[in-house]
Amino acid sequence: MRDASVFGHAVPQAGHTGSVMGAVAGVVEDGSDDCLSLNVWSPAPGRGGLPVMVWIHGGAYLQGSSANPHADGAVLAAAGVVVVSINYRTGFEGFAHIAGAPDNRGILDQIAALRWVRHNIEMFGGDPGNVTVFGQSAGAGCIAALTCMPLAAGLFSRAIAQSVPGTFFTPELAAAISAAITGALGVHATVEDLASVPPAAFIDATQAIVTTMPRFADVWGPMALTPTPFSPVLDPEHLPQAPWQALNNGAARNIDLLVGHTRDEYRLFTTHLDRDPTQEQVSEAITRCRGLPDDGRYRDAYLDATLAQLHEIVNADWLFRMPSLHLAHAQHAGGGHAWTYELCWGFDSDQGASHSLDFLLVFGTLTTDDIQRHPTAYPNAVAEAVKVAGHMRADWVRFATTGNPGWGAYEPRARTTRVYTAQPFTAAYPEERSRRIWQAHHFDALSPHIR
């Protein structure tokens, strides 16, 4: 028995101040080493048989906490589901490749939480046989991995992946990144060498690498242009294939999948830039992201786009939009069912339908103040936000309850997609120009460039 009236400690990450940050071993006085906790919201603990939705937060595989107020489950639970949110190891401790330790320790934490749900959620009114995992960004990447990991088989029957990152690593790339981080500490990336290193040192060394990652682009490839040095790592035992190949081979044919993205995924990462990219920088981005020389297809497809807009579209496609679409395609090819969506609504003219906005709407935690404080908020944005959020939340709950969100499943010819605007509608996939450019691309685990 324990006091469950407050959120548990966050896992070690930048900005964390618990004693565990400086600890090497043993139990610290403030209890911050006991950080792998979860939370439950239930609309009717005594009722039983309610669908269960387990939230896996994002945060670039570097940070995050289930105590994030934007992921408060009260509004979503009130719609008729039991909501669970979890902490899992992030950053170096959760995702770095360490000799002598299993890979993807953060995802193994998620599997442990799902086992807890299987054994205990009935006491909170939930149905352990009707569990949906849902997550966004890095959380969606973890969910893509969970759908094809043997250890997770049978722990959930439905999955909602919001903005799936296209970055999974080979062990060789993950090892090269770990070596760069631990080299700054004067140790090797082995269990023995790292046993005496406190979490704060890992985090500081990781942050130092993040600021210099673009310098490694010629060796580490396009992942060096992202905001994180971590992603799920392939390993023969737990994650033998990247999810696009695994789902194409039928690994998740018994899992219902809802997957999608926002229209302006990369806008969130460009609003701070003080100058537009050059023609050469755009061409270089196209070449790195697609793995092919810039053949002019983007310019031909987006004749009305400025260089800044083209740079944004290319990065949005590679990092989130096309990996999400291709995951739906792979699920269909493997004999499973998938549904796709795109959020095209935004409340301001700067960020539009930006990365992360969809999960705020689903949880109902985008407040009136959040909108009205923004200097370029639209006059009718508050009223529209309520409507769009209500539609998305109802569809997510319907999917978790029945396995069908309310529109036609994905198939390669029609590509039926739910498009969330102020007045949601169903149509063919909206980003047809990008889809054609990427239709022959095969998303797979990224490897280091050999020179």
Side-chain angles (χ1 to χ4, degrees):
M1 297 289 289
R2 65 173 67 195
D3 179 10
S5 61
V6 295
F7 289 101
H9 293 283
V11 299
Q13 58 192 279
H16 187 88
T17 57
S19 298
V20 69
M21 293 289 284
V24 174
V27 178
V28 297
E29 291 182 0
D30 67 358
S32 59
D33 58 330
D34 185 18
C35 54
L36 295 181
S37 59
L38 55 77
N39 320 289
V40 182
W41 288 263
S42 177
R47 173 180 162 185
L50 292 171
V52 181
M53 298 184 69
V54 180
W55 171 249
I56 299 176
H57 68 74
Y61 304 105
L62 278 173
Q63 58 193 4
S65 165
S66 63
N68 181 350
H70 285 300
D72 186 290
V75 174
L76 183 57
V81 294
V82 175
V83 178
V84 179
S85 66
I86 66 175
N87 280 346
Y88 61 92
R89 281 173 286 181
T90 60
F92 193 93
E93 295 206 27
F95 290 92
H97 182 77
I98 301 172
D103 285 318
N104 305 308
R105 294 171 298 280
I107 303 179
L108 297 182
D109 293 342
Q110 297 162 16
I111 292 174
L114 287 169
R115 287 176 177 157
W116 186 97
V117 169
R118 167 62 58 89
H119 295 142
N120 297 282
I121 204 62
E122 197 167 9
M123 293 186 291
F124 297 87
D127 179 0
N130 187 8
V131 175
T132 298
V133 291
F134 71 124
Q136 183 264 347
S137 195
C142 291
I143 285 171
L146 287 168
T147 61
C148 53
M149 292 178 72
L151 277 178
L155 294 177
F156 59 93
S157 55
R158 297 176 185 124
I160 305 174
Q162 304 174 212
S163 304
V164 180
T167 53
F168 277 63
F169 293 169
T170 61
E172 293 77 17
L173 177 57
I177 295 167
S178 293
I181 294 172
T182 59
L185 300 174
V187 295
H188 295 99
T190 66
V191 169
E192 293 76 18
D193 271 21
L194 300 180
S196 60
V197 179
F202 294 137
I203 291 166
D204 290 344
T206 297
Q207 292 301 112
I209 285 292
V210 168
T211 61
T212 60
M213 272 173 53
R215 302 178 190 173
F216 293 86
D218 288 340
V219 180
W220 292 353
M223 60 74 49
L225 305 178
T226 72
T228 177
F230 300 120
S231 283
V233 181
L234 300 197
D235 80 87
E237 182 178 1
H238 299 312
L239 187 60
Q241 289 183 302
W244 301 275
Q245 285 68 46
L247 268 60
N248 189 79
N249 294 335
R253 64 166 57 97
N254 295 323
I255 297 172
D256 297 320
L257 176 66
L258 172 57
V259 58
H261 55 76
T262 70
R263 181 191 59 205
D264 307 312
E265 287 280 4
Y266 204 69
R267 188 83 55 85
L268 188 67
F269 308 106
T270 60
T271 53
H272 66 282
L273 299 179
D274 57 359
R275 63 172 64 93
D276 289 342
T278 64
Q279 182 73 57
E280 291 73 23
Q281 288 172 325
V282 172
S283 181
E284 181 182 12
I286 294 171
T287 299
R288 288 192 185 280
C289 292
R290 292 186 64 213
L292 298 168
D294 179 10
D295 55 8
R297 293 187 66 186
Y298 262 107
R299 292 178 187 82
D300 292 341
Y302 293 95
L303 293 173
D304 54 343
T306 66
L307 287 175
Q309 290 169 336
L310 199 60
H311 187 265
E312 178 192 325
I313 292 168
V314 170
N315 280 281
D317 283 344
W318 170 71
L319 195 52
F320 297 114
R321 301 201 308 185
M322 294 305 109
S324 299
L325 179 66
H326 282 221
L327 195 68
H329 189 88
Q331 175 71 338
H332 177 272
H337 295 100
W339 289 261
T340 55
Y341 78 90
E342 180 176 73
L343 174 64
C344 292
W345 178 88
F347 64 86
D348 69 274
S349 58
D350 287 340
Q351 295 181 343
S354 66
H355 188 68
S356 299
L357 180 58
D358 53 350
F359 97 78
L360 302 182
L361 294 168
V362 169
F363 274 97
T365 54
L366 180 67
T367 68
T368 298
D369 285 345
D370 291 332
I371 297 173
Q372 292 180 336
R373 280 200 305 262
H374 201 284
T376 63
Y378 299 121
N380 58 341
V382 172
E384 288 185 354
V386 173
K387 292 180 180 179
V388 178
H391 284 296
M392 294 189 75
R393 189 159 50 253
D395 291 344
W396 265 232
V397 169
R398 185 181 301 112
F399 179 77
T401 304
T402 69
N404 188 320
W407 62 90
Y410 173 90
E411 57 88 17
R413 288 173 297 180
R415 293 183 293 280
T416 301
T417 302
R418 187 64 169 169
V419 182
Y420 292 102
T421 62
Q423 295 293 332
F425 61 94
T426 302
Y429 180 65
E431 310 306 332
E432 177 64 12
R433 290 178 289 181
S434 291
R435 186 199 68 80
R436 290 184 177 182
I437 294 172
W438 288 83
Q439 63 183 343
H441 184 85
H442 295 284
F443 284 95
D444 202 347
L446 301 173
S447 299
H449 291 176
I450 306 299
R451 293 186 297 174

